[in-house]
Amino acid sequence: MLRNYCKLLQIHVRKCAISHHCAAGVRHKTTIQYAARPDMPKLAYRKLTGKSPGVVFLPGFASNMGGMKAEALEEFCKSLGHSYLRFDYSGCGSSEGEMKNFNIGAWKKDVLYVLDELVEGPQILVGSSMGGWLMLLASLSRPERIAALVGISTAADHFVTAFHALPIETKKEVEEQGSWKFPTKHNEEGFYTLSVDFLKEAENHCVLHSPIPMSCPVRLIHGYKDSDVPWHVSMQVAERVLSNDIDVIIRKHGLHRMSEKDDIKLIVYTIDDLIDKLTTLG
């Protein structure tokens, strides 16, 4: 009985700490470091050392490690004493290169480099949008390093699915022009320019056409009002993943970026519950 009371007290203290840090934001950021890689661009990252399991944040397409979710997770991990790493993909943010010169395969290599060279022990991968796609790819390549997955508005196969949904004539025009103006609300131009080569290369990394063999805990959080990546994509991922420990959480008023204060609280609570579960099992 006393053991159960102590456990409840510990959870209460953790939840209070989470609420405080979500409201306060990051006060003392880690410094940017650069990983020099042979024949590859320097990779910018911020790292917090601490206990296992560690947490690695994978941002979305054309995004970077300076977003609200990434920063809130750093403060949360700091409060619990767990390790945390966030980084910018090649050609994005503070990393070397131009984004137009990279693709899904290159960014997958970035994630694998982080797992192989920049962090130690089991990791919880937290992938936002395209980062959710990359976390699935990374977990297939490094299953022994993955403690759990948390997908936020997971955009598995998204560019490929969206392209194939275009009318035949539009697809022909795109192939003739060599690029596609992919509509978005998240920049001033109102579109991202994706080359046909980028789209063809992305097809090599699709994961929704067959079972996804992984056994770790998986949590998928998606906004019902996500107009960029429909929430049913997370349902498709859940259907494909072979793990028996998988939950899908749909936020009725959630949007694609899931960056409102209550959205971030939900993300942090979800990771906290996973850490508690993994630590207890360990």
Side-chain angles (χ1 to χ4, degrees):
M1 185 173 178
L2 179 60
R3 186 164 60 247
N4 289 340
Y5 172 77
C6 291
K7 182 69 173 176
L8 289 169
L9 182 62
Q10 181 187 35
I11 291 171
H12 174 71
V13 170
R14 285 157 70 102
K15 297 300 185 189
C16 288
I18 291 168
S19 296
H20 171 73
H21 291 303
C22 284
V26 175
R27 289 163 294 178
H28 303 290
K29 293 182 184 179
T30 48
T31 56
I32 294 183
Q33 301 179 64
Y34 294 91
R37 305 178 294 172
D39 302 319
M40 296 177 74
K42 286 183 181 178
L43 208 63
Y45 67 98
R46 293 178 183 267
K47 183 178 180 181
L48 184 70
T49 57
K51 297 181 293 186
S52 290
V55 177
V56 176
F57 182 77
L58 313 182
F61 180 78
S63 187
N64 58 63
M65 60 178 166
M68 293 176 64
K69 295 188 291 293
E71 295 197 343
L73 289 183
E74 179 172 306
E75 190 68 12
F76 161 67
C77 288
K78 183 180 178 182
S79 73
L80 293 188
H82 280 263
S83 67
Y84 176 69
L85 186 140
R86 50 187 167 124
F87 70 102
D88 289 333
Y89 304 121
S90 297
C92 301
S94 298
S95 289
E96 278 189 335
E98 292 185 59
M99 195 178 78
K100 66 181 181 180
N101 296 327
F102 300 94
N103 51 36
I104 299 298
W107 295 326
K108 173 188 170 182
K109 288 181 181 178
D110 290 344
V111 180
L112 297 181
Y113 178 85
V114 167
L115 289 172
D116 293 342
E117 304 293 338
L118 301 183
V119 296
E120 297 178 355
Q123 302 293 318
I124 298 174
L125 299 188
V126 182
S128 178
S129 192
M130 184 190 74
W133 184 1
L134 291 171
M135 82 176 182
L136 294 170
L137 294 172
S139 66
L140 290 170
S141 295
R142 299 289 188 276
E144 72 284 356
R145 298 298 311 283
I146 309 303
L149 301 178
V150 178
I152 306 163
S153 308
T154 300
D157 302 2
H158 181 54
F159 299 122
V160 177
T161 303
F163 178 70
H164 286 309
L166 294 174
I168 294 175
E169 288 303 316
T170 305
K171 284 194 282 189
K172 285 182 179 179
E173 289 176 9
V174 169
E175 289 170 354
E176 288 172 2
Q177 294 169 0
S179 64
W180 177 31
K181 291 184 177 179
F182 183 79
T184 181
K185 300 174 184 175
H186 305 301
N187 65 15
E188 292 181 1
E189 292 82 4
F191 61 87
Y192 296 120
T193 301
L194 304 179
S195 70
V196 170
D197 288 341
F198 176 92
L199 295 168
K200 287 182 178 178
E201 197 278 337
E203 289 184 345
N204 299 324
H205 306 286
C206 288
V207 295
L208 295 180
H209 299 308
S210 58
I212 304 174
M214 59 183 66
S215 57
C216 67
V218 179
R219 303 292 180 264
L220 301 169
I221 305 171
H222 218 119
Y224 185 72
K225 295 186 177 180
D226 188 338
S227 59
D228 296 283
V229 181
W231 59 268
H232 64 72
V233 173
S234 282
M235 300 301 294
Q236 289 179 282
V237 173
E239 289 173 1
R240 292 298 186 187
V241 169
L242 297 181
S243 172
N244 291 322
D245 186 359
I246 180 164
D247 293 329
V248 181
I249 304 166
I250 304 296
R251 281 189 67 76
K252 185 174 181 180
H253 300 293
L255 303 175
H256 180 65
R257 288 194 166 178
M258 295 289 289
S259 57
E260 297 296 321
K261 186 171 75 172
D262 286 343
D263 297 332
I264 292 174
K265 277 186 181 180
L266 173 62
I267 295 164
V268 170
Y269 285 158
T270 301
I271 298 168
D272 183 60
D273 286 340
L274 280 170
I275 288 175
D276 188 53
K277 177 175 184 173
L278 293 166
T279 310
T280 302
L281 290 173

